[in-house]
């Protein structure tokens, strides 16, 4: 087993925890890969330093040390290599990271000997104004939203080119089942089982008494037409990254990606265990 460890170096704990994780994995017989930029802080004993593309191609599993944001970023960087990802959680919530720091001894030993499952998660592709060369990929969500001015934006929501909703508000969230526990949940969207292939569309601060979230089959094509009538800027972002400013009247098409990612789990109900512990506080 070869493990590529990616710590989020913006978090003070990340390097010490990554070194601790490397030690546990090495004792369990795994080979460790790290980025060359970490060599001065992590040392050289029992570690091979390779550039990201080489490490992602060579490893069997990727281990991130950070929060869900670290997993989201890593998933985009490494999705072409189709390697499973295990997150060690240093964040506040961590629905995607299935290993807490106090669980590392047990779970990393299991990882090193192959005693784990992979949960395949769907991705979304977002294309603005038909420009597929600038297509964005999302594990959690695609968000189309207004700028800093107080005026709301008109949104027309189409499913397979059929108008299904017209609304006024601050934005629209198009989420995967993975992202149903993220921003979409805060906007009143439902929680979807991660094994479901579906797309959740939720309004942000809708200027309406009745704007429930809608759930579509994953093979549907969702199109959002956004118009601020020149009163506001319009932006799109995927997974909280890659923010782009759109022209007034822009159209964004969101559909199931041909790619997917795999997250390491040790229990088929890890998603619901996280919901119970981190949302309900049990």
């Amino acid at each position: 087993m070869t493990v590529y460890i990616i710590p989020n170096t913006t978090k003070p704990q990340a390097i010490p925890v990554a070194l601790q994780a490397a030690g546990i994995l090495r004792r369990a017989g795994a080979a460790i890969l790290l980025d060359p930029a970490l060599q001065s802080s992590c040392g050289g004993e029992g570690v091979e330093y390779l550039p990201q593309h080489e490490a992602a191609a060579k490893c069997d599993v990727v281990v991130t040390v950070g929060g869900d944001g670290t997993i989201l970023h890593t998933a985009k960087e490494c999705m072409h290599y189709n390697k499973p990802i295990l997150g060690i959680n240093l964040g506040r919530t961590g629905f995607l990271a299935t290993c807490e720091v106090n669980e590392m001894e047990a779970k990393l030993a299991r990882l090193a000997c192959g005693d784990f499952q992979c949960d395949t998660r769907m991705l979304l592709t977002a294309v603005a104004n038909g420009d597929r060369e600038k297509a964005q990929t999302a594990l959690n969500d695609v968000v189309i939203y207004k700028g800093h001015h107080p005026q709301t934006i008109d949104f027309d929501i189409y499913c397979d080119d059929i108008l299904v909703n017209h609304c006024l508000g601050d934005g629209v969230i198009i989420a995967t089942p993975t992202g149903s526990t993220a921003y979409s949940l805060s906007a009143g969207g439902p929680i979807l089982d991660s094994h479901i292939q579906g797309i959740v569309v939720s309004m942000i601060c809708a200027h309406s008494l009745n704007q429930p979230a809608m759930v579509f089959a994953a093979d549907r094509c969702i199109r959002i037409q956004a118009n601020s009538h020149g009163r506001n800027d319009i932006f799109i972002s995927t997974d909280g990254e890659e923010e782009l400013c759109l022209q007034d009247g822009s159209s964004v098409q969101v559909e199931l990606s041909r790619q997917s990612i795999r997250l390491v789990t040790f229990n088929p109900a890890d998603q619901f265990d996280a919901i119970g512990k981190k949302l309900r506080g049990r």
Side-chain angles (χ1 to χ4, degrees), residues 82-222:
N82 195 31
K83 302 299 172 70
I85 300 172
L86 170 65
I88 298 174
N89 184 40
L90 299 181
R92 289 171 294 178
T93 307
F95 284 102
L96 303 182
T98 53
C99 181
E100 301 296 326
V101 173
N102 61 2
E103 299 175 318
M104 289 198 304
E105 284 285 352
K107 287 188 173 179
L108 293 181
R110 290 180 62 182
L111 182 75
C113 66
D115 181 18
F116 63 89
Q117 297 88 44
C118 286
D119 190 0
T120 300
R121 302 294 182 96
M122 61 173 275
L123 302 171
L124 294 174
T125 297
V127 178
N129 298 319
D131 189 355
R132 290 198 168 269
E133 290 187 0
K134 295 182 179 179
Q136 300 181 18
T137 302
L139 170 58
N140 261 0
D141 49 40
V142 178
V143 184
I144 302 153
Y145 55 99
K146 71 181 185 71
H148 300 295
H149 300 292
Q151 290 88 354
T152 55
I153 295 177
D154 284 304
F155 294 97
D156 288 328
I157 301 173
Y158 296 84
C159 174
D160 292 344
D161 289 326
I162 303 297
L163 180 66
V164 295
N165 197 8
H166 170 80
C167 48
L168 195 65
D170 287 355
V172 179
I173 304 166
I174 306 98
T176 65
T178 301
S180 69
T181 54
Y183 195 6
S184 176
L185 178 65
S186 301
I191 295 174
L192 298 189
D193 187 329
S194 64
H195 291 182
I196 289 175
Q197 294 281 293
I199 301 172
V200 184
V201 178
S202 307
M203 285 297 301
I204 304 170
C205 297
H207 193 74
S208 168
L209 295 177
N210 185 26
Q211 282 291 349
M214 296 177 286
V215 181
F216 299 93
D219 60 356
R220 299 290 193 181
C221 178
I222 307 301

Side-chain angles (χ1 to χ4, degrees), residues 212-234:
M214 296 177 286
V215 181
F216 299 93
D219 60 356
R220 299 290 193 181
C221 178
I222 307 301
R223 181 165 59 87
I224 311 296
Q225 190 86 30
N227 199 325
S228 73
H229 307 286
R231 299 172 308 197
N232 214 328
D233 294 323
I234 303 171

Side-chain angles (χ1 to χ4, degrees), residues 50-72:
L50 291 174
Q52 183 181 83
H53 66 282
E54 293 183 29
K58 183 175 181 177
C59 73
D60 299 300
V61 178
V62 176
V63 170
T64 65
V65 182
D68 280 358
T70 310
I71 295 176
L72 292 171

